[in-house]
Amino acid sequence: MSEQQGHEQQDPKQGPQQGYQQPGPQPGYQQPGPQPGYQQPGPESGYQQPGYPPPGFPPPGYYPPPGTYTGDPNAPYGYDPYGRPYSDKSKVIAGILQLTLGGFGVGRFYLGNVGMGLAQLFTCGGLGVWSLIDGILLLTGNDHTDEHGRILRS
């Protein structure tokens, strides 16, 4: 029963029979593939996949939390909700310095207001009244700026 109607049983280790050929390249036919000097664009070639932002940039609509460093030299601690840059100086520190050492104008020197600091130094803080009011205004206000015109941080 090993031979049925002209079919011979084949040994799997031998390969195909004599009459059959493996499909392969025909004479004169060239396999399709990359041509010399041409390379398919890939992710490393600078093309970006659609739907993704370029690397190194935040997604659209993302804003860093207020008070974080953004790398912008004009706004070292980011922007407030109104788009004004935050200063590297703190209004709490300036207010406490003004309340405790306001007779010497230390709070104003800290903020970079040298003229006001000298005036408070020479008048002993307006006999203490000017420095007291100035310290309270620094602590409670939201519109005080440093010597570069940037809004003080909280």
Side-chain angles (χ1 to χ4, degrees), residues 80 84 91 137-144 151-152 154:
D80 72 347
R84 301 177 298 183
K91 74 176 187 178
L137 288 176
L138 280 171
L139 286 172
T140 60
N142 289 328
D143 58 348
H144 291 285
I151 300 296
L152 298 177
S154 295

Side-chain angles (χ1 to χ4, degrees), residues 65-91:
T68 58
Y69 182 71
T70 61
D72 184 2
N74 296 324
Y77 288 93
Y79 295 92
D80 72 347
Y82 299 108
R84 301 177 298 183
Y86 278 124
S87 172
D88 55 342
K89 311 283 177 141
S90 171
K91 74 176 187 178

Side-chain angles (χ1 to χ4, degrees), residues 51-54 57-63:
Y52 293 99
F57 292 99
Y62 172 78
Y63 296 103

